[in-house]
Amino acid sequence: MNISNCGTIILSNCPVCQNTSENSYTVIVDSIEYKDTELDYSVDICLACGCMYAKQRTECKELYTPKMDVEKENVHQINEVYSPKKIWNYQNKKLQATELLAIVKKDEVKYLEIGSSDGSFFYVLNKLSEINNISIKGTLVESSGASEKCKNIFDCRVVTESILSVKDIETKHYDIAVLSHCLEHFDNPGTVLSIVHKALADDGILFIEVPDGMKVDRGITSPLSYFHIVNYNLLTLGELVRRCHFEILDVIERDNYPGLRLIARKKAKGKFHTENRGTLSMSLLWTKSAVRCWKHHKETALKKVHHILQKLTHDSRLLIYGVGGHTKKMLDQFPGLMNAANCDFTDSNPPRMYKGRLSKDSRHLIFESYDYVIIATYAGQETVYQKLVRMGCPETKIIKLYETINSYAN
Ligand SMILES: [Zn+2]
């Protein structure tokens, strides 16, 4: 199946500091496979502010329409009923909700969320505010198919299009605007924040969470995902927010989940303060250091696979856990792995075709039939390892692709 609406987007300016994109350098050009189509993108670093972003990429408009729900595959969403056990990353959402309620000291709150996904954060916030006798009226903006689930949450309005095309967002209306793991998906974050600025009441609060650009995935895939256009660090996120006429009240780098959280208050439009050149050159040093760290871990993992490949004989039997981007990259680099007498794939997802072979249902694996079991997933590596051991896989057969990963909360 082919996808439609593909074209190439080239950014002429850095999404954060607006300096010309010619003042940048390319770290890597990469691609992901989506429905048999290669979506290419570059990973670039702005020399003026140190922001990491995709200067050029294949656009796929279909990804941001109600018929698409990409995150569902990553199990980042609820299937049926809302409950703490079923909400992805529940503990982190509860922490966010607690932080938000602590800054908005009102009994009735008008709430706007951009990129609300399945609405589970608003659900958690609603439950917590009920306990605190606060009433919250929410507007949830979500252009993907995840918006369907938001409609099940009591007392909210769901807008199923991109914030960039919504015509009837109220002006000077909302007490809070939340963008949780959303802003990094836009190549024009300044435009998004100016819409939010307009929608917020004069003392309105902006709450942003983004992935931490200093803790990028240290794996064999790119330091920037295709779906994220920008990797922010504390300095570039602060710079962007100030440029959009907000006063930063609080900012934190979370340790249990690789994300930055920033809280700001709307200011009247006027002259804005930008960081001095020294601070932004520090940001550039940070980003370069994050890239060096990523390269080191990538090379270490590739050496490990090279070592396994050398040990394989014509009758070796191999099981690869994971049918995602990390496995694809590993096999692109070492196609010889597929020549093992047995090279089977498995994953926690339902069996599907991968590299011309049907992946095995992980519940029915017979570990005696394999010499090596490679775990080629990133975020879930430790969980998969524990699961395999519980299922009876000898620890001596298991090879973890990565020595260390940035841990994610559940
Ligand atoms: Zn820049």
Side-chain angles (χ1 to χ4, degrees):
M1 183 172 24
N2 277 320
I3 48 175
S4 58
N5 295 326
C6 283
T8 300
I9 291 186
I10 301 171
L11 302 188
S12 52
N13 299 88
C14 163
V16 168
C17 74
Q18 295 300 315
N19 198 275
T20 168
S21 64
E22 284 171 19
N23 190 20
S24 67
Y25 71 95
T26 302
V27 174
I28 190 173
V29 176
D30 205 354
S31 66
I32 60 158
E33 209 171 275
Y34 187 76
K35 287 188 171 182
D36 298 333
T37 301
E38 291 278 328
L39 302 175
D40 303 319
Y41 68 107
S42 62
V43 179
D44 305 272
I45 296 178
C46 170
L47 290 165
C49 76
C51 155
M52 183 191 286
Y53 70 103
K55 180 174 159 181
Q56 183 167 333
R57 69 185 194 280
T58 313
E59 188 189 30
C60 177
K61 284 183 182 159
E62 269 188 36
L63 290 173
Y64 304 99
T65 58
K67 74 180 193 187
M68 289 292 167
D69 199 350
V70 176
E71 291 224 326
K72 203 172 176 180
E73 280 213 1
N74 294 330
V75 207
H76 288 179
Q77 286 173 12
I78 292 167
N79 284 327
E80 300 139 30
V81 190
Y82 287 90
S83 78
K85 272 191 174 170
K86 295 204 170 167
I87 290 174
W88 181 73
N89 204 5
Y90 174 72
Q91 289 303 335
N92 194 48
K93 287 187 170 119
K94 201 172 155 196
L95 175 66
Q96 281 172 255
T98 309
E99 287 171 345
L100 252 184
L101 290 181
I103 35 167
V104 184
K105 299 176 182 70
K106 285 189 171 181
D107 298 335
E108 288 186 9
V109 176
K110 297 185 194 87
Y111 173 91
L112 172 67
E113 185 173 349
I114 319 285
S116 55
S117 186
D118 62 1
S120 51
F121 175 61
F122 181 62
Y123 175 84
V124 173
L125 184 73
N126 232 331
K127 286 286 160 202
L128 205 65
S129 53
E130 269 172 29
I131 299 167
N132 292 287
N133 290 320
I134 299 168
S135 130
I136 298 204
K137 285 246 183 296
T139 298
L140 308 185
V141 181
E142 173 58 51
S143 63
S144 84
S147 59
E148 268 306 303
K149 303 194 184 74
C150 301
K151 291 173 186 163
N152 301 328
I153 306 172
F154 180 66
D155 235 356
C156 76
R157 172 188 164 213
V158 183
V159 180
T160 55
E161 56 188 318
S162 162
I163 186 66
L164 297 170
S165 47
V166 183
K167 297 277 181 288
D168 58 346
I169 286 285
E170 296 89 338
T171 302
K172 291 194 171 193
H173 179 77
Y174 294 97
D175 302 300
I176 306 173
V178 168
L179 293 96
S180 179
H181 289 268
C182 163
L183 201 62
E184 66 275 16
H185 294 270
F186 289 96
D187 58 28
N188 49 359
T191 310
V192 174
L193 291 186
S194 72
I195 294 169
V196 170
H197 191 278
K198 212 183 272 181
L200 278 172
D202 284 339
D203 57 348
I205 295 291
L206 171 66
F207 184 102
I208 296 177
E209 280 207 322
V210 289
D212 185 346
M214 289 301 289
K215 293 180 183 164
V216 295
D217 281 5
R218 288 163 190 167
I220 56 177
T221 56
S222 290
L224 183 69
S225 130
Y226 168 82
F227 295 98
H228 295 176
I229 316 291
V230 182
N231 263 349
Y232 294 94
N233 62 38
L234 287 174
L235 296 173
T236 50
L237 183 62
E239 173 75 4
L240 173 73
V241 166
R242 275 192 297 268
R243 280 172 171 266
C244 295
H245 310 282
F246 288 94
E247 176 196 359
I248 299 173
L249 302 178
D250 190 41
V251 66
I252 189 170
E253 197 173 11
R254 295 208 198 283
D255 47 9
N256 66 329
Y257 180 82
L260 308 175
R261 191 272 283 131
L262 180 147
I263 299 172
R265 183 184 287 123
K266 172 174 166 171
K267 270 185 11 177
K269 283 198 173 178
K271 201 169 179 299
F272 53 79
H273 160 80
T274 61
E275 283 298 356
N276 63 41
R277 207 172 279 180
T279 307
L280 291 177
S281 66
M282 177 63 85
S283 162
L284 179 59
L285 287 177
W286 280 2
T287 304
K288 283 181 172 175
S289 151
V291 168
R292 255 198 318 277
C293 195
W294 159 73
K295 275 188 180 158
H296 167 76
H297 286 273
K298 175 182 171 170
E299 281 158 18
T300 306
L302 291 177
K303 271 185 202 158
K304 197 183 267 194
V305 184
H306 178 71
H307 186 63
I308 300 163
L309 190 61
Q310 301 225 302
K311 288 203 290 185
L312 288 182
T313 59
H314 68 281
D315 60 350
S316 297
R317 290 152 304 170
L318 177 67
L319 176 69
I320 298 174
Y321 197 110
V323 292
H326 291 255
T327 300
K328 181 183 181 297
K329 280 276 175 260
M330 183 172 75
L331 291 169
D332 285 350
Q333 190 88 14
F334 299 105
L337 290 172
M338 296 280 284
N339 297 335
N342 265 358
C343 177
D344 291 335
F345 299 97
T346 186
D347 206 293
S348 54
N349 294 324
R352 65 176 186 193
M353 286 303 285
Y354 190 73
K355 299 275 176 192
R357 299 173 195 189
L358 186 68
S359 65
K360 301 213 172 257
D361 188 324
S362 64
R363 291 168 301 179
H364 306 130
L365 293 169
I366 300 163
F367 295 107
E368 289 79 43
S369 59
Y370 298 105
D371 299 303
Y372 305 102
V373 179
I374 302 179
I375 304 175
T377 64
Y378 183 78
Q381 178 179 268
E382 201 49 42
T383 312
V384 170
Y385 179 81
Q386 299 297 342
K387 177 180 154 180
L388 291 174
V389 171
R390 269 201 314 276
M391 288 166 74
C393 182
E395 290 179 54
T396 49
K397 288 189 179 184
I398 305 176
I399 296 145
K400 294 179 188 173
L401 190 54
Y402 301 116
E403 295 302 311
T404 52
I405 49 166
N406 292 320
S407 65
Y408 284 71
N410 290 312

